[in-house]
């Protein structure tokens, strides 16, 4: 399995949703993984898994706020997107001439 370390601010919407699904009530001390990075500094993270990747999402002071405000943020983003307008197919360019006589036998040679 591939392993990645990522800051929560750089998560895609799908991974952010998986983070929220994995920790619906927030994370606790037992969920935190502590390790040293290449610079020797300690890093705290929580784990989320997909089919092919294990992500360690770095914890910062604002991650808890992110988790608690995630639903509101997604709703605001969806509200800001304009609804696509579909054209109706009543225009003449979409009409078929039902009286046209097609000779399919000639086309099959």
């Amino acid at each position: 399995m591939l392993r990645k370390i990522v800051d929560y601010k750089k998560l895609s919407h799908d991974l952010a949703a998986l983070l929220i699904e994995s920790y619906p009530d927030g994370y606790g001390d037992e969920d935190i993984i502590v390790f040293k990075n290449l610079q020797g500094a300690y890093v705290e993270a929580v784990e989320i898994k997909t089919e092919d990747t294990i992500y360690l999402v770095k914890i910062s002071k604002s991650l808890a706020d992110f988790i608690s405000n995630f639903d509101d943020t997604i709703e605001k983003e969806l509200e800001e997107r304009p609804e696509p307008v579909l054209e109706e197919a009543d225009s003449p360019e979409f009409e078929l001439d039902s009286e046209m006589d097609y000779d399919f036998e000639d086309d099959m040679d």
Side-chain angles (χ1 to χ4, degrees):
M1 261 189 146
L2 186 62
R3 296 173 185 261
K4 292 186 177 185
I5 300 170
V6 64
D7 190 274
Y8 84 92
K9 294 176 186 175
K10 296 181 181 179
L11 291 176
S12 67
H13 285 293
D14 292 338
L15 287 176
L18 183 59
L19 176 68
I20 301 305
E21 183 180 306
S22 299
Y23 303 99
D25 299 321
Y27 55 87
D29 291 339
E30 66 279 357
D31 300 315
I32 298 173
I33 298 168
V34 180
F35 60 93
K36 278 188 179 182
N37 65 11
L38 294 175
Q39 292 78 27
Y42 285 98
V43 177
E44 294 181 341
V46 291
E47 182 180 84
I48 55 174
K49 294 181 182 180
T50 62
E51 291 179 15
D52 59 347
T53 307
I54 296 174
Y55 293 91
L56 291 179
V57 181
K58 292 191 280 184
I59 295 174
S60 66
K61 293 178 183 178
S62 56
L63 178 59
D65 292 336
F66 171 76
I67 289 174
S68 64
N69 296 326
F70 182 76
D71 289 335
D72 295 335
T73 303
I74 293 299
E75 285 178 20
K76 286 179 187 175
E77 285 182 14
L78 291 175
E79 288 173 1
E80 291 173 3
R81 290 185 187 173
E83 293 277 331
V85 177
L86 301 176
E87 295 182 23
E88 294 191 25
D90 292 338
S91 65
E93 63 190 62
F94 293 109
E95 292 180 14
L96 295 176
D97 188 355
S98 59
E99 295 181 15
M100 291 182 80
D101 187 22
Y102 294 102
D103 190 7
F104 290 108
E105 291 178 18
D106 292 338
D107 293 337
M108 297 188 71
D109 291 327

